[in-house]
Amino acid sequence: MAYDVSPTARTLTVLELIQNRPGITAEQLGDKLGVSERAARRYVAILREADIPIESTRGPYGGYRVGRGLRLPPLMFSTTEALGLVMAVLEGPRGTADPVETALGKIVRVLPEPVARATDAVRRVSARGPDPGVRTPDPEITAALVSYSTGHRRVTIQYRRHQSEFPMEVDPWAVVVRRGRWYLLCWSHAKDAQRVLRVDKITRVEPQPADFTAPVDLDPLAMVEEHLAMGWKYPIEVEIDAPREDAACWIARSMGRLEPIDDTHTRLLASTDDPDWYATQLTAIQAPYRILAGPELQAASHALAQRLLAASTLG
């Protein structure tokens, strides 16, 4: 544990350790906290002074345990508060073993079912690691979108674009977090097409009487990542001499859409604003491939090949 952790934090950690490992000794507590055995006993004394029944047993199999009578007060969260907590946790890259992620899972498990369903829906479709310059959306708007998504309720939203706002009637399939950015995957009734919208650009949400049914095979994160790979300045088409399953190991979903041509060939459809960067990403493909469309990418790949050849030439 870090040297600058407050005494209060250490005392609460002692309580958690004793709850999770009944029979833990003062020496073991000291090792976990990075303090002396005497200091660990002092933290136990602080807990007892706070009327927390910490019992101790002497002998080779003795140690501390929480006695009967400990009752922690319940935590009460609204949907907005619970989702705000999830949003705060998802701001940074965290692994499954991260203690904050573990603690968040515990909180979600004890929330009332409607609140837990909304917050967990966001956790399950989150790709970690924020991009620079991300904007956190309004928690109340986000909470409403998640609630109507899990409740399969059609909504009308106000969407901001280029200093102006306009209404959109959509079926909110899912709210997805990717690299710290929050997206609404939805079906637009005006466009009669799938859309991916930035949640931070939504200024109002109003429910409509109609319900909706999401696609049966819906994979929200995959659909958002494929969508984000399209619509850039330079269109791309690449043919790869490998099955789609192999190509998917080399090409991230955010780089484009992979379509099987046959059992041994795959088509990559995408677009980019940076052909030089995209050309370097294609070098991860461990099979022959051909750039069929995208003269800018063809030129960037040719230039990259020349640099690699020059670098490998023995002087």
Side-chain angles (χ1 to χ4, degrees):
M1 180 173 286
Y3 70 91
D4 58 347
V5 175
S6 69
T8 301
R10 291 184 189 274
T11 304
L12 293 174
T13 301
V14 167
L15 176 58
E16 182 181 6
L17 288 169
I18 295 174
Q19 286 180 310
N20 292 338
R21 293 181 55 187
I24 190 172
T25 66
E27 181 182 2
Q28 291 169 331
L29 285 173
D31 290 341
K32 291 288 186 181
L33 295 171
V35 299
S36 66
E37 182 177 339
R38 181 179 178 182
R41 294 183 187 279
R42 187 164 62 248
Y43 291 125
V44 172
I46 293 173
L47 291 173
R48 286 170 171 164
E49 290 173 1
D51 294 327
I52 297 176
I54 304 297
E55 300 176 350
S56 59
T57 305
R58 296 183 180 277
Y61 301 103
Y64 297 109
R65 67 188 67 248
V66 178
R68 295 181 180 275
L70 178 62
R71 294 291 184 271
L72 296 178
L75 293 175
M76 303 298 292
F77 292 102
S78 67
T79 301
T80 300
E81 290 171 336
L83 190 60
L85 176 61
V86 174
M87 293 166 71
V89 172
L90 294 180
E91 283 301 306
R94 300 187 183 276
T96 55
D98 188 274
V100 176
E101 178 70 17
T102 303
L104 181 62
K106 292 179 180 179
I107 292 174
V108 170
R109 285 195 292 272
V110 299
L111 290 173
E113 197 276 333
V115 180
R117 183 175 65 246
T119 55
D120 199 47
V122 172
R123 291 180 72 222
R124 287 185 286 102
V125 291
S126 303
R128 305 305 175 86
D131 287 332
V134 299
R135 294 181 55 187
T136 301
D138 182 274
E140 291 191 10
I141 289 176
T142 309
L145 289 170
V146 174
S147 177
Y148 295 133
S149 169
T150 57
H152 299 93
R153 175 64 63 87
R154 184 175 301 172
V155 298
T156 297
I157 62 173
Q158 283 291 123
Y159 197 68
R160 184 178 65 251
R161 182 182 293 167
H162 305 309
Q163 308 301 319
S164 62
E165 294 186 6
F166 54 91
M168 296 177 63
E169 186 172 298
V170 301
D171 294 342
W173 288 350
V175 174
V176 177
V177 187
R178 181 183 180 277
R179 305 300 183 193
R181 297 189 187 277
W182 294 69
Y183 299 97
L184 176 65
L185 174 64
C186 62
W187 182 266
S188 169
H189 289 275
K191 299 294 185 181
D192 195 29
Q194 172 189 309
R195 287 290 182 266
V196 173
L197 307 175
R198 287 263 299 274
V199 176
D200 61 290
K201 293 177 181 276
I202 299 175
T203 60
R204 192 167 70 235
V205 181
E206 296 180 358
Q208 299 301 317
D211 294 334
F212 70 87
T213 300
V216 176
D217 57 347
L218 183 66
D219 185 341
L221 183 56
M223 295 179 73
V224 167
E225 290 189 326
E226 288 182 359
H227 180 93
L228 294 176
M230 309 303 291
W232 302 102
K233 185 175 181 180
Y234 303 112
I236 294 168
E237 181 179 352
V238 179
E239 184 176 317
I240 305 169
D241 294 349
R244 187 189 184 283
E245 292 74 16
D246 292 346
C249 296
W250 308 320
I251 299 296
R253 290 182 304 200
S254 58
M255 283 190 62
R257 185 172 66 252
L258 293 171
E259 298 180 347
I261 299 174
D262 53 38
D263 291 343
T264 57
H265 295 82
T266 303
R267 179 182 294 107
L268 169 63
L269 298 175
S271 62
T272 185
D273 276 356
D274 190 344
D276 292 328
W277 172 85
Y278 205 96
T280 63
Q281 303 306 303
L282 290 180
T283 60
I285 299 175
Q286 300 177 29
Y289 65 89
R290 291 163 296 284
I291 302 172
L292 303 181
E296 298 81 8
L297 179 60
Q298 291 171 337
S301 296
H302 181 77
L304 175 61
Q306 294 298 110
R307 291 200 303 272
L308 293 175
L309 285 172
S312 62
T313 301
L314 297 177

